[in-house]
């Protein structure tokens, strides 16, 4: 099988999501409304704390609020149940029979989805943020480059996590509870609600022991310049390590799950 | 009159069957309720982390902020339990099942609202209620007839406000169809705005969340009245008594929107 299948799958993922224009516009509106509320709450906290919380000034807090809402859809913090549905209906057998690696194929598709969502879901909140509170962005191109690398890693870690969690459908009849539990953990531990650096020590330690901060907090920190230089490189290295671990865990789950899979007919 | 009673009996029978259906799969139901408790706790995490960093936010101490959180989440969870499933409308339209609803001699909205009762939302309501009970005495709220009236009015009024937002968002689906997320900016966005002190919001945003989507009326304004605080300019605390009134125009707008949506709908002739 030629490796050119994967870019084609990524392009297909891009095109599939570009079909839902009204939903994309509506999603961008929701991101912007949430961003406005979050910017008010986070900057209000920084002002109440005397101008700085854990390295975040007013400008950084506002930028974090808008940027995290802009990246929410591309990195897909919330779980979807696409693969779980395919496991339940048995369609996953078709995925396993294809001459491409199921995990790499789904990863390529998800990168295509993220690439489409980046501009239409990301620009509106950032634009409103730039016009209302102002944004702080990296002063030099190196910051943007590292930010983009960190963003691709964030999307990938998120994909690997969602893919692995969906595979629990091999063992569970109803995965809705598991997926909601995942979304609950992700909402807090990715830093979507409040930046991870603001957490009390016990919660910060809990977050650091999970791959969740690598999904959203890491790219946001690199883009806002809360971490720079060697510290930023370290953040990207941690993301890479988590990506390897979670991808491997997903492959183990798939291997164990497909041994249980029995498909009728032909 | 007898007809009206027969209508109610029909709604009651459907609701009872929906409730029984959910309680049949006990493990699944318990997992759903537990996950909704998790949703409530994850919402509380913001309040917890922020007040770990500061003592007051937007003029409120931690316990008053907990009251705002509790009232907003209680009202939203109850509204979600009662009519949240109205956002299933696009599925009914796509699958042609809406036509079956339209053929029955009961109003469409009444049927859709009673077609399901999402008991799992009790999980989030439970978290909100627990926070309310713990925070009330600590925020210095004295138990009295006035306090009870204010609490009752804001929970009922707040639930009515969110129910109306769900209906309005549902009505928009007649036009958007793939717009479940458009509903989010109304309903979940309103709930998110309601659970923080409105004094934090810059002028235009505060105005929108008071007079267009009356999120401030659900929790922040009643808490000002409960704790005897004066609000920021433009938000006097006596407005906290007006939550049920705030629900009236939202309901009127939601019902008009719903009627226009139903009139616009044409079945696929399945």
């Amino acid at each position: 099988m030629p490796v050119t299948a994967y870019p084609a799958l990524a392009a297909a993922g891009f095109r599939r999501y570009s079909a839902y224009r009204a939903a994309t516009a509506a999603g961008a509106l929701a991101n912007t409304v949430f961003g406005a509320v979050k910017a008010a709450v986070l900057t209000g906290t920084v002002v109440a704390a005397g101008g700085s919380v854990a390295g975040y000034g007013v400008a950084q807090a506002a930028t974090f609020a808008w940027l995290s809402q802009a990246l929410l859809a591309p990195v897909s913090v919330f779980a979807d149940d696409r693969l779980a549905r395919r496991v339940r209906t048995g369609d996953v057998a078709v995925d396993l029979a294809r001459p491409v690696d199921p995990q790499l194929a789904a990863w390529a598709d998800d990168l295509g989805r993220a690439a489409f969502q980046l501009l239409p879901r990301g620009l509106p909140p950032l634009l409103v943020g730039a016009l209302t509170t102002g944004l702080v962005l990296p002063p030099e191109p190196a910051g943007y480059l590292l930010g983009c690398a960190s963003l691709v890693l964030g999307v990938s870690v998120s994909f690997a996590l969602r893919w692995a969690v969906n595979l629990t459908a091999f063992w569970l009849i109803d995965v809705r509870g598991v997926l909601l539990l995942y979304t609950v953990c992700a909402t807090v531990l990715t830093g979507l609600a409040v930046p991870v650096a603001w957490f009390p020590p016990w919660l910060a330690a809990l977050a650091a022991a999970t791959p969740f901060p690598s999904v959203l907090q890491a790219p946001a920190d690199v883009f806002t310049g809360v971490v720079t230089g060697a510290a930023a490189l370290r953040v990207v290295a941690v993301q890479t390590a988590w990506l390897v671990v979670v991808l491997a865990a997903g492959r183990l789950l798939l291997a164990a799950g497909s041994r249980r899979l029995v498909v009728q007919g032909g | 009159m007898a007809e009206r009673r027969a209508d109610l009996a029909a709604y009651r029978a459907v609701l009872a069957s929906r409730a029984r259906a959910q309680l049949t799969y006990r493990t699944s139901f318990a997992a759903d309720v537990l996950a909704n408790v998790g949703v409530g706790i994850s919402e509380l995490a913001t309040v917890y982390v922020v007040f770990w960093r500061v003592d007051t936010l937007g003029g409120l101490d931690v316990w008053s902020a907990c009251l705002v959180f509790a009232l907003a989440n209680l009202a939203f969870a109850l509204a979600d339990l009662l009519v949240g499933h109205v956002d299933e409308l696009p599925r009914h339209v796509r699958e042609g099942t809406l036509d079956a609803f339209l053929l029955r001699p009961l109003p469409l909205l009444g049927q859709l609202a009673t077609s399901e009762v999402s008991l799992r939302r009790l999980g989030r309501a439970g978290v909100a209620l627990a926070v309310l009970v713990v925070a009330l005495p600590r925020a210095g709220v004295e138990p009295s007839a006035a306090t009870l009236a204010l609490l009752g009015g804001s929970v009922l009024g707040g639930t009515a406000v969110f129910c109306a937002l769900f209906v309005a968002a549902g009505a928009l689906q007649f036009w958007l169809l793939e717009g479940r997320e458009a509903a989010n900016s109304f309903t979940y966005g309103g709930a998110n705005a309601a659970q923080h002190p409105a004094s934090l919001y810059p002028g235009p945003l505060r105005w929108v969340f008071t007079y267009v989507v009356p999120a401030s009326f659900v929790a922040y304004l009643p808490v000002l009245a409960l704790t005897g605080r004066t609000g920021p300019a433009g938000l006097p605390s006596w407005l906290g008594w007006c939550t049920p009134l705030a629900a009236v125009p939202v309901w009127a707008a939601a019902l008009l929107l719903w009627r226009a949506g139903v009139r616009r709908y044409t079945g696929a002739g399945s």
Side-chain angles (χ1 to χ4, degrees):
Chain A
M1 187 65 203
V3 277
T4 52
Y6 298 109
L9 283 167
F14 185 98
R15 274 201 308 278
R16 184 150 44 80
Y17 279 85
S18 65
Y20 302 109
R21 298 230 172 90
T24 305
L29 177 66
N31 290 148
T32 309
V33 172
F34 273 84
V37 170
K38 190 149 77 174
V41 172
L42 295 187
T43 54
T45 307
V46 172
V47 170
S52 170
V53 174
Y56 286 69
V58 170
Q60 273 92 5
T63 308
F64 177 82
W66 296 110
L67 189 62
S68 59
Q69 284 299 315
L71 298 184
L72 166 61
V75 302
S76 188
V77 170
F78 306 135
D80 60 272
D81 67 343
R82 255 187 47 217
L83 179 59
R85 273 207 310 262
R86 292 183 74 77
V87 171
R88 197 169 56 228
T89 57
D91 287 345
V92 71
V94 180
D95 300 341
L96 291 171
R98 287 193 177 119
V100 287
D101 181 85
Q103 192 184 38
L104 294 182
W107 188 6
D109 178 76
D110 202 56
L111 285 173
R113 172 200 61 75
F116 167 72
Q117 289 184 329
L118 189 61
L119 291 184
R121 294 290 295 268
L123 273 187
L126 287 181
L127 216 64
V128 172
L131 292 175
T132 53
T133 61
L135 300 173
V136 281
L137 290 169
E140 71 254 41
Y144 285 97
L145 275 177
L146 203 59
C148 290
S150 179
L151 180 57
V152 173
L153 282 168
V155 174
S156 302
V157 172
S158 162
F159 157 76
L161 279 170
R162 285 176 286 124
W163 199 74
V165 169
N166 267 269
L167 287 178
T168 56
F170 276 118
W171 293 271
L172 302 169
I173 296 168
D174 189 0
V175 293
R176 196 172 58 179
V178 174
L179 293 180
L180 192 52
L181 193 66
Y182 171 88
T183 296
V184 164
C185 293
T187 307
V188 178
L189 300 179
T190 56
L192 179 63
V194 193
V196 174
W198 295 20
F199 289 1
W202 73 270
L203 195 57
L206 180 69
T210 71
F212 288 116
S214 291
V215 171
L216 182 68
Q217 184 71 51
D221 277 350
V222 176
F223 270 122
T224 50
V226 168
V227 292
T228 49
L233 285 173
R234 203 182 144 268
V235 165
V236 173
V238 169
Q239 284 184 290
T240 312
W242 274 119
L243 179 60
V244 172
V245 169
V246 184
L247 282 176
R251 297 194 87 88
L252 285 178
L253 276 174
L254 181 69
S258 36
R259 272 199 292 281
R260 293 172 48 93
L261 184 68
V262 179
V263 182
Q264 305 279 339
Chain B
M1 195 64 207
E3 205 174 84
R4 164 67 43 100
R5 203 168 303 141
D7 285 2
L8 286 181
Y11 287 133
R12 237 190 346 258
V14 173
L15 279 181
S17 83
R18 298 312 308 156
R20 268 203 311 282
Q22 289 167 56
L23 296 173
T24 306
Y25 300 99
R26 282 180 190 281
T27 321
S28 196
F29 180 70
D32 277 350
V33 172
L34 211 65
N36 273 276
V37 168
V39 171
I41 291 174
S42 77
E43 294 285 337
L44 188 59
T46 305
V47 181
Y48 168 68
V49 173
V50 163
F51 278 95
W52 191 76
R53 290 285 174 183
V54 297
D55 295 328
T56 59
L57 184 68
L60 299 184
D61 59 21
V62 62
W63 295 115
S64 305
C66 280
L67 283 183
V68 174
F69 167 87
L71 286 178
N73 274 270
L74 189 56
F76 183 72
L78 290 176
D80 203 0
L81 180 148
L82 292 171
V83 298
H85 41 271
V86 169
D87 69 3
E88 288 285 305
L89 183 76
R91 189 171 59 80
H92 289 301
V93 172
R94 254 198 321 272
E95 295 177 2
T97 42
L98 197 70
D99 297 4
F101 281 111
L102 285 167
L103 285 173
R104 292 177 199 149
L106 291 170
L108 177 65
L109 183 56
Q111 288 187 67
L112 268 180
T114 53
S115 69
E116 183 65 90
V117 49
S118 318
L119 291 179
R120 59 177 186 275
R121 310 287 185 211
L122 286 174
R124 187 169 174 182
V127 173
L129 195 62
V131 174
L132 185 68
V133 169
V134 171
L136 270 175
R138 289 171 176 78
V141 178
E142 302 287 340
S144 70
T147 306
L148 271 182
L150 194 51
L151 277 176
S154 59
V155 172
L156 288 178
T159 307
V161 165
F162 283 130
C163 283
L165 289 180
F166 271 115
V167 170
L172 283 180
Q173 313 285 340
F174 281 111
W175 286 272
L176 290 172
L177 279 182
E178 269 297 339
R180 236 175 132 147
E181 283 198 79
N184 283 3
S185 49
F186 267 95
T187 53
Y188 289 80
N192 185 44
Q195 70 182 14
H196 301 294
S199 46
L200 289 174
Y201 305 145
L205 196 62
R206 194 189 296 165
W207 190 83
V208 167
F209 281 130
T210 305
Y211 298 111
V212 183
V213 177
S216 314
F217 279 96
V218 173
Y220 176 67
L221 288 169
V223 168
L224 286 185
L226 273 171
T227 57
R229 286 184 165 84
T230 45
L235 289 184
S237 62
W238 58 263
L239 280 177
W241 289 91
C242 305
T243 311
L245 286 180
V248 175
V250 201
W251 261 108
L255 289 177
L256 282 175
L257 206 60
W258 184 266
R259 205 171 61 164
V262 175
R263 289 205 175 143
R264 186 181 180 275
Y265 173 76
T266 43
S270 40

